Amino acid sequence: MNKILAKQQLSKEVFRMEIEAPEIAEARNPGQFIILQMGGDFGERIPLTIANADLEKGSITLIFQAVGETTHRLALLEPGDAIDNLLGPLGKPTDIKKYGKVVCVGGGIGVAPLFPIVEGMKKAGNEVTVIMGARTKDLLIMEEEMRATADDVIVVTDDGSYGRKALVTVPLKELCEEDKPDCVVIIGPPVMMKFAALTTKPYGIHTIVSLNTIMIDGTGMCGGCRVTIGGETKFVCVDGPEFDGHLVDWDNMLLRLGTYKSEEAEAHHRCHIGLHIKEGEA
Amino acid sequence: MHITKETLDAQAKELLEQLKDKTLSPRDRAQIPLQEMPTQAPEIRVGNMEEVALGYTDNQVRLEAMRCLQCKNQPCIAGCPVSIDIPAFIAEAAKGDYGKSVEIIKKSSLLPSICGRVCPQEAQCQKFCTVGKMNKDVEQSVSIGRIERYVADYAREHDLEKVPPIKPESGRKVAVVGSGPASISAAADLRREGHTVVMFEALHKAGGVLVYGIPEFRLPKKIVEHELQNLKDMGVEIRPNYLVGKTRKITDLMERDGFDSVFVGSGAGLPRFLGIEGENYVGVFSANEYLTRSNLMKAYAVGKAQTPLYQSEKVAVFGGGNVAMDAARTAKRLGAEEVVVVYRRTEVEMPARREEVNHAKEEGIKFLFLHTPLKITANEKGRVNGVELITCELGEPDASGRRRPVEISGTEKVYDFDTAIIAIGNDSNPLIKATTDGIEVNRRGNFIVNEETCKTTLKGVYAGGDIVLGAATVILAMGQGRKAAKAMNAYLKDLA
């Protein structure tokens, strides 16, 4: 059991939680994730990337969007409550080193796991530019933290309600043209990662993406998370979650993410009924 | 034709009456008809997840125990990986003293209700049974496993089990990595010596393959829970959600957390794939994933479980072992209309237990022998819609002694399937090796250990079960757990 120490709602659907987990806090590195399970025998296991850790408090921070049954349940917990099962840190850490100029691209909730990488890249002596995007202003998170850490921050929204009205690929392409980075890190929705990786490809820029596929155990045992990387099958949980964005078979990954689409749509509806949350409110 | 438990019991009862007070010669005993295992009727059981084999009745177990000749040379014991005193426990069962019977088993095996269910007895103890030899048919041997299961279930259900005596606290601390059969038996033997034992499990539930792999209809999870409760009652601490190698490294457990020795029983948890085209399409699963969804995550409880299941109509299962049978039978229970096991050799070479194959056939699972997949095809949404198979013939024997399947070119044919499950085995999970300097592994990633002591190449670290053996059996894993514990107990005693 891992106790929730603090909770904060960042936007309509997005929550930040600080959770007591001293061993994970100590062992984790940027880029790694945890798997959590709650709701007794019938609860599912879901992966979430670690957004931050506090060694003194022995805690980790998770930032999540209430989209499925488990994240909805999680969102209903309050400080003092506990998460039944929390496993981590899983996966390989980000390959943080001095590249020179680094551009970190975050979309939506992906900005959260990007933050420790921005910190790490900065600490390693890189010049770091952050491009962060969201559908609309209300869904934008962690801008302040990013501004306090990165050398430059470019904010875009799909609807132009804040920052530039553009997709993240637009400023990314401009940077590739004008001030070519040595490394690009992209975390966000799969479609965004696909197009951002395609943007950097013609420039031959080393591009890291963090994949969030369907997982069960997270230890390499089930293979449900497998993806095709440069024609080879890899497991996101143990070989990843980060891969060379130019080698990922995005279309196959997107198809695999939709494996349970119909079952999940039904479950989402069910959990809104079961947890008494109105449709549209997370 | 399915015979009900009641009929089997009535038949046994009648025969017991007839044999009562008679002096039986070995010939008479060998001629007592083998007691069939009562089962749920096939047409009923494909609609539920409950155990297929219902267990003997009291009359049946007594009669079956009477078939044992109590041979002087005890060939059965030599066939048992943990040398259970089989004639002695059967003699007690014949008398009806089930408590004493299970006590005899427990001297050698900690998990009789599990081994009685999942051990391949026909390849072990029962293979050497004199009664089988007299009847010229190994399937006519004394049903040692079924008797074992009966007495173990009886003891559990009647609270006849005793918590084994624990020696005074030794002051030594041992970590057990994993919570499957190897780890359970190692933990018990280490705890009996008075050591503090902490068992680390990566998943949210302990039990390893007994919980995530073997289906409920073959091994009810409440039995595994009961065995784990026994461990807790002995004072073993079980820590779920702890992945040794990631949450903490083995060297940290020893250098920082004060563990004097470590047993690694982390299993063979890396599913093999075929390496064919289309293997990552939607609807292709490793047997591990398919079974874990159903067993550990309880996805079979549709509407209750949050973990979803793939809706299948026509399922192909590649492989011929027990895991392939488990996957096929699970798919059937989950609603697939047609399930076909595709195996590249013939039925004779199938590694699955005969009993499992028979149960599968009774449940309507189809078999396509001498076929192997070349390619998986999908529709425009990337969902599986077919499998291309090629016919094989058997050629020269390979390293395993089985005749090698040889593909016959020109026999390729595409079959309609919407789901493919790959059950061709597992390699060792590389996680601990990758995070622990000094542990040596072989080509397959299995830990290299001393055969007598199960000691790895790293001081104080021992290993057993599938991480050493590759995918093997519950009883072999248990045997190694015990062997390692014995060596660890000696090692801990000698520590200054």
Side-chain angles (χ1 to χ4, degrees):
Chain A
M1 298 285 264
N2 300 74
K3 213 164 77 181
I4 293 163
L5 303 176
K7 175 188 173 185
Q8 189 189 354
Q9 187 158 3
L10 300 185
S11 73
K12 204 166 77 179
E13 295 182 342
V14 179
F15 298 82
R16 182 208 304 260
M17 261 183 192
E18 210 181 311
I19 299 152
E20 194 175 64
E23 277 151 331
I24 301 175
E26 192 192 317
R28 74 99 210 188
N29 279 299
Q32 290 188 294
F33 64 97
I34 55 94
I35 279 193
L36 64 84
Q37 193 270 353
M38 46 201 273
D41 255 10
F42 298 101
E44 64 187 337
R45 292 168 66 91
I46 59 158
L48 290 172
T49 310
I50 302 167
N52 216 339
D54 187 326
L55 278 180
E56 268 172 42
K57 284 198 225 163
S59 67
I60 58 167
T61 301
L62 298 179
I63 295 181
F64 62 92
Q65 190 166 12
V67 283
E69 183 146 353
T70 302
T71 43
H72 274 104
R73 281 175 188 273
L74 191 60
L76 291 176
L77 296 182
E78 296 297 336
D81 293 342
I83 295 170
D84 301 341
N85 296 293
L86 186 69
L87 169 71
L90 301 172
K92 289 183 178 161
T94 311
D95 187 15
I96 287 178
K97 59 182 183 200
K98 180 152 184 185
Y99 294 92
K101 271 183 236 159
V102 176
V103 174
C104 293
V105 185
I109 190 80
V111 170
L114 192 67
F115 180 68
I117 299 172
V118 171
E119 269 189 325
M121 287 293 188
K122 191 72 199 136
K123 229 182 263 172
N126 295 289
E127 187 192 320
V128 182
T129 302
V130 170
I131 302 173
M132 49 191 286
R135 278 203 316 273
T136 180
K137 187 185 174 203
D138 290 347
L139 298 174
L140 215 55
I141 56 167
M142 300 183 81
E143 188 192 346
E144 237 171 82
E145 287 96 324
M146 286 296 193
R147 289 206 185 275
T149 312
D151 295 285
D152 194 13
V153 176
I154 301 166
V155 179
V156 297
T157 50
D158 294 5
D159 63 358
S161 53
Y162 186 70
R164 231 175 118 175
K165 181 180 176 179
L167 298 174
V168 289
T169 45
V170 178
L172 179 61
K173 190 168 169 36
E174 288 166 7
L175 284 175
C176 290
E177 292 279 345
E178 296 153 19
D179 191 14
K180 192 176 154 190
D182 301 292
C183 173
V184 172
V185 184
I186 310 162
I187 309 184
V191 176
M192 179 216 110
M193 288 197 283
K194 173 183 170 178
F195 286 101
L198 281 174
T199 305
T200 62
K201 200 170 180 182
Y203 304 94
I205 300 165
H206 178 56
T207 299
I208 302 169
V209 294
S210 176
L211 305 183
N212 190 349
T213 50
I214 295 171
M215 284 185 196
I216 306 178
D217 62 295
T219 68
M221 188 269 282
C222 84
C225 64
R226 66 193 190 280
V227 286
T228 314
I229 307 290
E232 265 182 73
T233 293
K234 296 278 179 192
F235 288 9
V236 172
C237 68
V238 288
D239 300 318
E242 294 178 359
F243 294 99
D244 181 336
H246 298 155
L247 296 180
V248 176
D249 181 339
W250 292 101
D251 294 339
N252 179 249
M253 189 190 100
L254 286 161
L255 288 171
R256 288 185 61 78
L257 276 171
T259 302
Y260 299 102
K261 232 176 194 165
S262 54
E263 291 86 350
E264 275 161 359
E266 195 192 319
H268 190 181
H269 175 66
R270 223 173 38 231
C271 87
H272 273 283
I273 297 167
L275 299 171
H276 306 292
I277 300 172
K278 273 190 236 153
E279 296 284 347
E281 287 182 14
Chain B
M1 183 55 205
H2 180 258
I3 307 170
T4 65
K5 185 167 186 168
E6 290 68 30
T7 308
L8 290 170
D9 184 52
Q11 288 168 354
K13 190 177 175 191
E14 198 185 320
L15 198 51
L16 265 183
E17 280 297 321
Q18 288 170 21
L19 297 176
K20 204 172 69 180
D21 308 324
K22 276 194 187 150
T23 314
L24 298 175
S25 69
R27 216 188 135 79
D28 295 336
R29 288 181 189 275
Q31 278 173 0
I32 297 173
L34 173 96
Q35 292 304 294
E36 255 185 63
M37 174 59 95
T39 54
Q40 277 196 73
E43 64 277 13
I44 307 269
R45 72 190 190 226
V46 292
N48 66 52
M49 275 289 161
E50 279 147 46
E51 194 170 16
V52 168
L54 301 170
Y56 275 162
T57 67
D58 183 72
N59 289 315
Q60 280 189 296
V61 79
R62 287 185 194 227
L63 200 56
E64 188 63 28
M66 283 170 70
R67 298 179 72 230
C68 174
L69 308 183
Q70 296 292 320
C71 306
K72 287 273 178 302
N73 61 344
Q74 305 177 323
C76 50
I77 299 184
C80 174
V82 296
S83 307
I84 295 172
D85 189 348
I86 294 164
F89 95 72
I90 293 185
E92 294 305 329
K95 281 189 235 162
D97 192 343
Y98 306 130
K100 200 160 174 194
S101 180
V102 88
E103 242 174 77
I104 294 167
I105 302 174
K106 285 224 167 176
K107 280 184 203 159
S108 315
S109 165
L110 194 74
L111 308 169
S113 48
I114 293 172
C115 293
R117 285 173 166 82
V118 302
C119 255
Q121 289 98 6
E122 65 283 357
Q124 298 174 350
C125 52
Q126 290 172 201
K127 186 177 177 182
F128 303 97
C129 173
T130 312
V131 174
K133 296 243 150 64
M134 286 167 78
N135 287 303
K136 296 191 175 61
D137 180 2
V138 68
E139 292 192 21
Q140 289 296 316
S141 294
V142 175
S143 300
I144 298 166
R146 294 172 182 174
I147 302 173
E148 178 187 28
R149 167 185 162 153
Y150 183 88
V151 299
D153 284 355
Y154 186 93
R156 186 183 68 251
E157 283 156 14
H158 293 81
D159 244 349
L160 299 178
E161 292 170 307
K162 293 171 190 154
V163 176
I166 311 283
K167 290 191 184 165
E169 298 298 325
S170 68
R172 295 288 173 203
K173 215 170 132 185
V174 189
V176 173
V177 181
S179 62
S183 297
I184 292 174
S185 46
D189 283 358
L190 288 160
R191 180 64 197 133
R192 280 185 212 185
E193 281 299 300
H195 308 310
T196 297
V197 180
V198 183
M199 185 182 250
F200 296 100
E201 166 57 46
L203 294 173
H204 59 283
K205 250 189 224 172
V209 74
L210 305 173
V211 168
Y212 73 75
I214 303 178
E216 180 77 17
F217 57 80
R218 211 149 70 77
L219 177 64
K221 301 308 150 218
K222 69 172 195 314
I223 293 174
V224 183
E225 278 163 28
H226 176 87
E227 297 299 347
L228 290 164
Q229 190 55 49
N230 282 348
L231 273 189
K232 289 187 203 162
D233 291 345
M234 288 169 71
V236 172
E237 185 197 340
I238 301 178
R239 283 199 65 179
N241 307 309
Y242 200 110
L243 182 59
V244 173
K246 283 284 180 188
T247 310
R248 272 271 212 268
K249 292 177 181 166
I250 284 195
T251 38
D252 287 335
L253 290 176
M254 296 178 84
E255 287 158 20
R256 294 176 52 196
D257 299 339
F259 287 97
D260 298 291
S261 184
V262 178
F263 173 79
V264 181
S266 52
L270 189 74
R272 276 184 218 147
F273 286 90
L274 290 156
I276 61 173
E277 203 184 316
E279 210 159 20
N280 291 345
Y281 279 138
V282 177
V284 184
F285 303 90
S286 73
N288 278 5
E289 179 183 358
Y290 199 75
L291 291 170
T292 301
R293 281 181 180 271
S294 177
N295 300 331
L296 175 75
M297 307 311 293
K298 307 258 181 266
Y300 62 80
V302 177
K304 229 170 158 187
Q306 291 167 20
T307 303
L309 269 173
Y310 199 66
Q311 297 303 316
S312 310
E313 283 178 15
K314 291 188 79 174
V315 180
V317 179
F318 304 132
N322 288 321
V323 176
M325 297 307 116
D326 286 346
R329 298 171 69 195
T330 297
K332 190 85 189 173
R333 283 162 171 75
L334 298 178
E337 278 158 32
E338 188 177 292
V339 182
V340 183
V341 172
V342 179
Y343 181 55
R344 58 195 184 139
R345 292 182 168 99
T346 74
E347 186 163 2
V348 186
E349 288 87 14
M350 271 218 293
R353 294 186 65 194
R354 174 91 352 237
E355 187 175 301
E356 304 307 327
V357 177
N358 289 343
H359 280 162
K361 284 183 176 170
E362 288 167 11
E363 289 163 12
I365 308 292
K366 292 179 184 160
F367 289 81
L368 193 54
F369 296 110
L370 290 169
H371 279 76
T372 198
L374 294 179
K375 190 165 112 181
I376 297 167
T377 59
N379 64 16
E380 72 287 351
K381 288 177 180 161
R383 297 196 167 228
V384 175
N385 64 6
V387 176
E388 185 179 325
L389 302 176
I390 186 166
T391 310
C392 303
E393 60 187 349
L394 292 182
E396 296 299 308
D398 65 8
S400 72
R402 291 177 301 175
R403 291 177 62 193
R404 190 195 308 270
V406 182
E407 295 173 6
I408 308 170
S409 62
T411 60
E412 299 85 350
K413 193 181 156 194
V414 178
Y415 294 74
D416 281 349
F417 284 108
D418 56 42
T419 305
I421 302 173
I422 299 162
I424 56 165
N426 285 287
D427 289 324
S428 287
N429 194 309
L431 205 85
I432 290 182
K433 157 68 190 152
T435 54
T436 316
D437 287 335
I439 295 252
E440 283 173 31
V441 301
N442 68 14
R443 191 170 52 83
R444 283 235 145 125
N446 301 328
F447 281 24
I448 294 169
V449 298
N450 176 304
E451 265 190 41
E452 295 309 307
T453 60
C454 287
K455 192 187 170 314
T456 68
T457 47
L458 188 64
K459 189 174 157 47
V461 180
Y462 296 72
D466 281 359
I467 187 77
V468 171
L469 300 165
T473 59
V474 170
I475 189 82
L476 283 173
M478 255 188 52
Q480 281 208 319
R482 300 209 78 186
K483 203 191 259 184
K486 194 175 162 199
M488 289 167 82
N489 283 331
Y491 170 79
L492 292 165
K493 205 171 174 184
D494 290 344
L495 276 186

